[in-house]
Amino acid sequence: AESEVKYVPNEELKIVNEQLINDFQDRCASTKCRDGETCILNKDGDAECACVAQCEDPKDERLMVCTKANHTYTSDCEFYQMQCWCRRNDERCTRQEAVSDSIDYFGRCQNLGICTAFELEVFPKRMTTWLGEILDALFVRKDLDAKYEVLVNEARKMKLSNTEKWWRNAVLWEFCELDRTHDNSVNNEEIARFVRSLKVLEHCIQPFLNHCDTDNDNKISSEEWGTCLGLEKGNYTPAYF
């Protein structure tokens, strides 16, 4: 009987907690917060956005971010948190210019060097080979979406038969990964996300992508992507599934 007395209140508390969590989730479901913000319930029980209270220290320099203003933050969370504080004139804001700043690349700010004309010329070949190897490595590690496996198998056969452009499927796969809106083009936001992860390793990536946008409409179509990476006309169709 004694154990039952202890158990029932705990079970009731669990039910109450679940109700509170469900209520919180329901109220926040329609509240869209910006990066660096999180949904909370105010004293009136209404959902509103507040600056992230605390960012986890990643303890890895590769997860640091360098902004366009050449300022290093420990993580992207820390940068977006600073933006939030400064937008709200919070006393914790130490860089008001953060509001108009943006992430340039992952890693500590450093001199990345200038992409020479020769480096830009040979860049497509390096990139296509790299994409081919990345696609295969993801497949081996079982980190690749199953819907893309047919592309890997086909690419492996092409490579074994010494097909010149065995990396073709990897080029199309990467375009699909970048084009999250599936509108057959990669917009500025999607391009920026790609550049951030590669810029420290490949300082030619931004000039290369700028070169791909031949009609200067601030986005890269599948035709521009295919042409830029050496695919024959007629092989530009991305492998959407």
Side-chain angles (χ1 to χ4, degrees):
E2 186 178 348
S3 62
E4 290 179 5
V5 172
K6 291 180 181 178
Y7 177 76
V8 172
N10 286 341
E11 189 65 26
E12 288 176 350
L13 183 61
K14 181 181 177 182
I15 292 172
V16 171
N17 284 339
E18 287 179 352
Q19 288 174 339
L20 289 172
I21 291 171
N22 290 336
D23 183 50
F24 169 76
Q25 290 175 338
D26 289 342
R27 293 177 186 231
C28 280
S30 58
T31 303
K32 302 300 179 186
C33 296
R34 301 167 70 166
D35 288 325
E37 297 178 348
T38 185
C39 181
I40 63 168
L41 298 184
N42 60 27
K43 61 182 180 181
D44 297 322
D46 297 322
E48 64 178 33
C49 294
C51 296
V52 171
Q54 187 172 3
C55 291
E56 184 179 344
D57 184 359
K59 295 182 175 61
D60 188 335
E61 278 206 12
R62 291 172 297 178
L63 296 178
M64 288 182 169
V65 295
C66 180
T67 70
K68 298 281 187 182
N70 205 43
H71 191 91
T72 300
Y73 287 87
T74 304
S75 65
D76 55 347
C77 174
E78 185 185 82
F79 168 68
Y80 291 128
Q81 181 189 55
M82 180 63 69
Q83 277 195 324
C84 183
W85 286 341
C86 295
R87 279 196 306 268
R88 296 163 182 257
N89 295 317
D90 189 290
E91 62 182 8
R92 289 168 290 186
C93 169
T94 57
R95 287 190 68 244
Q96 189 59 47
E97 60 270 33
V99 174
S100 58
D101 204 356
S102 59
I103 295 175
D104 191 12
Y105 57 86
F106 281 98
R108 187 185 295 277
C109 290
Q110 56 194 280
N111 181 6
L112 300 180
I114 297 172
C115 179
T116 66
F118 175 73
E119 287 177 314
L120 189 58
E121 183 182 346
V122 300
F123 184 80
K125 185 175 182 180
R126 290 214 329 274
M127 183 170 174
T128 53
T129 302
W130 174 74
L131 288 175
E133 292 171 349
I134 287 292
L135 180 63
D136 200 82
L138 289 174
F139 175 73
V140 171
R141 294 199 325 239
K142 302 188 186 304
D143 287 336
L144 187 69
D145 194 313
K147 66 187 179 184
Y148 291 126
E149 289 184 8
V150 63
L151 297 182
V152 178
N153 293 327
E154 189 176 274
R156 285 182 168 184
K157 290 175 184 176
M158 292 169 72
K159 192 173 184 179
L160 285 172
S161 62
N162 292 318
T163 302
E164 182 185 2
K165 297 184 178 180
W166 60 271
W167 35 259
R168 169 186 171 275
N169 284 357
V171 170
L172 298 177
W173 159 76
E174 182 61 38
F175 185 86
C176 295
E177 289 294 287
L178 294 175
D179 181 17
R180 299 192 176 187
T181 54
H182 283 194
D183 61 354
N184 204 37
S185 66
V186 182
N187 60 40
N188 272 345
E189 184 181 340
E190 292 164 335
I191 290 172
R193 194 180 298 117
F194 184 50
V195 170
R196 287 171 193 167
S197 60
L198 286 178
K199 197 167 182 178
V200 169
L201 301 173
E202 293 286 359
H203 64 284
C204 280
I205 185 65
Q206 187 67 69
F208 169 73
L209 293 174
N210 292 342
H211 173 71
C212 292
D213 182 17
T214 54
D215 59 6
N216 296 314
D217 64 349
N218 294 318
K219 58 185 179 182
I220 300 172
S221 67
S222 59
E223 289 80 9
E224 288 174 324
W225 178 262
T227 300
C228 217
L229 287 167
L231 295 184
E232 294 87 358
K233 196 168 185 178
N235 286 333
Y236 298 159
T237 306
Y240 293 123
F241 286 80

